Structures are given as structure tokens and as C-alpha cells.
Amino acid sequence: MRAIVQRQYGAADALHLERIPRPKPADDEILVRVRAASLSRGTWHLMSGKPYVMRLGLGFRGPKTPTAGQDLAGTVVATGAAVTGFEVGDDVFGVGSGSFAEYAVAREDKLARKPMNVSFEQAASVPVSASTALQGLRDVGRVAPGQKVLIIGASGGVGTFAVQLAKALGASVTGVCSTSKLELVRSLGADRVIDYTATDFSAMPDRYDLILDIGGNATLRRLRRALTPHGTLVIVGGEDGGDWVGMSRQLRAIGVSPFSRQRLAMFVATLNTRDLEQLTEFIESGAVTPVLDRTFTLEQLPDAMRHLQSGAARGKIAISI
């Protein structure tokens, strides 16, 4: 099969299209004929090997698992002996190992049936980013109807899902993004949009019950200033630019939180079937629509990664296979 292989950390040039053997599913795994995949900041971290602390688990000089990619959507072609929830021919989406390929294996508990009203490319954009948005809002942020929510990085992969999910969960949403992406965020249902190139959200009089920070560069002081006295800050991922640990703001937030009336938290999403099924309900009801910026072919994967790194993407970048 054709697959994107990465044998050393680096830039997009480290990704190569090769022919490798088709994987075989273990007892609790499913072999998926991949129709589409997508990029996320996580795929960039895995490609670059940064922050360096990741290499303790992934491989010091290069990835232990050379096939790249996580998000996928496709069709079941074989199942392991212990799989009971899926059959050959089912269209599925979720997370697998090496999804930038014609075939990939995935655990049964990391997949769900594909939403019927979206394309494979749209479905592949959902798993990591939408699960991150859902868990950040619902589980960590404990969002409630009527609350005021600020989403920093509202036009990105996680942010476009977060705006729609926060509205679906009954919140009043303010999105922060750049000038060229204001209309996109408004179209997703945001009640208000702030252009960070012209306005400092922390200098405005508004205070928020929940801030979901996906942008990665606002100081902890600015974020806390924009919270209500008992508000919650959720910092998503590790995007503060540190090459070694990459989570300095998060660690400071955890250290400050026990001594503050405000709740300051960080988290990394965990993918599971239950959340994928809930996201399917949101998508099939029309409350959430995956936003695709561009679709690339498997051969164009390095170009897609460079587009992700440029910061110009609105929503998700899909790979059609």
C-alpha cells in the first residue's frame, strides 16, 4: 500500500510517500480502508519531535512508529477476533495508527460510525479537534447554559468546533481571531468576534465564565484578567513555543489554581467512541458542521503540512486518499 513514512524528526521534507506492507489488525483492532485523513497540531508535534520531552515516549532520534497520521475516515475491510461493534463494510471515523495511508489499523474503542450527512473528508476532520473542543468545554470547563465563553483561536481546527459546540451547549460565545477570519467565526454562530490584531481582549470590560485558550501565546495574567472572579480557564495543548517542555503556562496555571478563586486547568484530549458518537449527533442534527480549509492528496502531504504551519488555514486541512 502507499503510505506517508517519517524516519526522522524535522520539517515537512521528512515526510515521504513509500510503498509498505498493509498492516494486520490485532484481536481488538479494525483494518480500515482509509478514504480521508486530516492534519492537526498534534501531527505537527509528531513530525517535528517538539517539544523535546515527547521524544522520551516516541523515540529519541526518530519516531518508533514511522507511519504518520492519526485522524481518519474510511470503510472497515477486516476485524480482529475480539471486535464485536463493527462489521466489514461499515463506514467509520476516528483515530488510527498511520492514517496517512491507504489502509490503517484502529482500536475498536477509538472508532464510531461516520455521520451520514458529511463527506469522508469532513468526517476525518472531526476526531481529534472536535473531541478536544468537546472535552475542553464539557468536561474540564463545565460549561453551562447562559454562561459567557471566550474562545481564543476560534478560527482554527479546534476553535471552529469549539464555537459551534459552545453554542449548542447553550453558551454565549465570543471568538478571538485575526482580521481575515472574522467573518468565518461569525458564520459559525459566535455572538461576538474580537480581532486580536486590533483589540486586546483582556483590556475590554467584559468578563467571562469560561475561557478556552487554543491560541497559545496570551500570558496567564491577561487570561485571568478576562475571567470572572470564579471563572474557569482551560488551556488546550502545549502551544506556547517552548522547544523543550512546551507547557510553561500550563504548569504555572496548575501551580496558581489552588490559591485562587478562579479555576485554572490544562488538559490533553483522550479519544473514545462515546464522544465520537455524541459528536455524530451534533453533526447529523446540523448543530455542528466541520469546516474544511483545503483538501490535499496523499502525494501533497508535505505541502499540506507546510500550509498548516503557515497559520493561514481556516478550520481543518483534509487529505483525500
Side-chain angles (χ1 to χ4, degrees):
M1 68 173 186
R2 297 181 307 146
I4 295 294
V5 175
Q6 177 187 352
R7 305 192 186 281
Q8 62 185 19
Y9 297 117
D13 293 338
L15 303 170
H16 301 282
L17 183 62
E18 300 182 10
R19 284 199 170 272
I20 63 173
R22 184 187 301 184
K24 296 180 179 180
D27 285 351
D28 63 343
E29 291 181 331
I30 293 169
L31 179 64
V32 178
R33 170 62 175 98
V34 182
R35 305 294 182 181
S38 72
L39 304 189
S40 67
R41 292 299 301 179
T43 55
W44 178 87
H45 286 301
L46 294 172
M47 178 192 73
S48 65
K50 295 180 181 179
Y52 295 125
V53 69
M54 294 175 54
R55 302 189 185 191
L56 296 175
L58 299 176
F60 184 71
R61 295 186 178 180
K64 293 178 182 178
T65 303
T67 49
Q70 296 177 290
D71 291 280
L72 61 81
T75 304
V76 175
V77 295
T79 61
V83 172
T84 60
F86 298 95
E87 298 179 350
V88 172
D90 287 343
D91 289 336
V92 297
F93 76 123
V95 170
S97 176
S99 66
F100 299 148
E102 291 175 323
Y103 295 87
V105 292
R107 282 172 39 183
E108 181 178 16
D109 61 357
K110 304 289 185 182
L111 292 176
R113 285 175 175 76
K114 184 183 81 68
M116 297 180 63
N117 59 334
V118 296
S119 66
F120 282 106
E121 287 77 12
Q122 288 175 302
S125 76
V126 172
V128 170
S129 293
S131 294
T132 299
L134 178 63
Q135 293 172 19
L137 291 165
R138 182 196 64 195
D139 302 338
V140 186
R142 303 171 192 169
V143 66
Q147 285 189 329
K148 294 178 63 177
V149 175
L150 180 72
I151 297 172
I152 302 172
S155 62
V158 176
T160 51
F161 285 112
V163 170
Q164 297 177 81
L165 287 167
K167 289 295 296 180
L169 294 169
S172 172
V173 178
T174 298
V176 179
C177 61
S178 63
T179 310
S180 63
K181 301 172 183 178
L182 294 174
E183 288 307 315
L184 167 64
V185 176
R186 287 194 186 97
S187 73
L188 298 175
D191 300 280
R192 188 178 181 187
V193 183
I194 297 174
D195 180 354
Y196 71 77
T197 68
T199 304
D200 179 358
F201 67 86
S202 68
M204 302 178 69
D206 301 272
R207 296 293 177 264
Y208 300 92
D209 302 295
L210 170 62
I211 296 177
L212 192 69
D213 178 22
I214 315 159
N217 55 21
T219 65
L220 199 57
R221 178 176 295 181
R222 289 176 61 211
L223 293 166
R224 294 187 64 195
R225 189 187 307 149
L227 278 177
T228 62
H230 295 276
T232 296
L233 166 66
V234 179
I235 302 177
V236 178
E239 302 298 335
D240 61 359
D243 282 347
W244 287 95
V245 178
M247 302 182 78
S248 59
R249 290 184 313 143
Q250 290 89 325
L251 296 175
R252 288 198 302 273
I254 291 174
V256 169
S257 188
F259 307 99
S260 171
R261 292 181 297 169
Q262 296 170 328
R263 192 165 64 91
L264 314 177
M266 60 163 282
F267 89 110
V268 177
T270 56
L271 274 290
N272 61 80
T273 296
R274 180 179 62 86
D275 284 348
L276 291 172
E277 289 175 341
Q278 183 171 8
L279 290 166
T280 294
E281 293 176 6
F282 280 121
I283 292 168
E284 291 186 340
S285 72
V288 172
T289 300
V291 177
L292 292 186
D293 176 81
R294 288 179 61 183
T295 299
F296 293 81
T297 64
L298 192 60
E299 292 82 357
Q300 296 172 318
L301 198 285
D303 293 330
M305 190 64 75
R306 282 186 279 267
H307 185 53
L308 174 71
Q309 289 178 264
S310 75
R314 306 179 183 197
K316 295 288 293 184
I317 299 169
I319 306 297
S320 182
I321 300 172

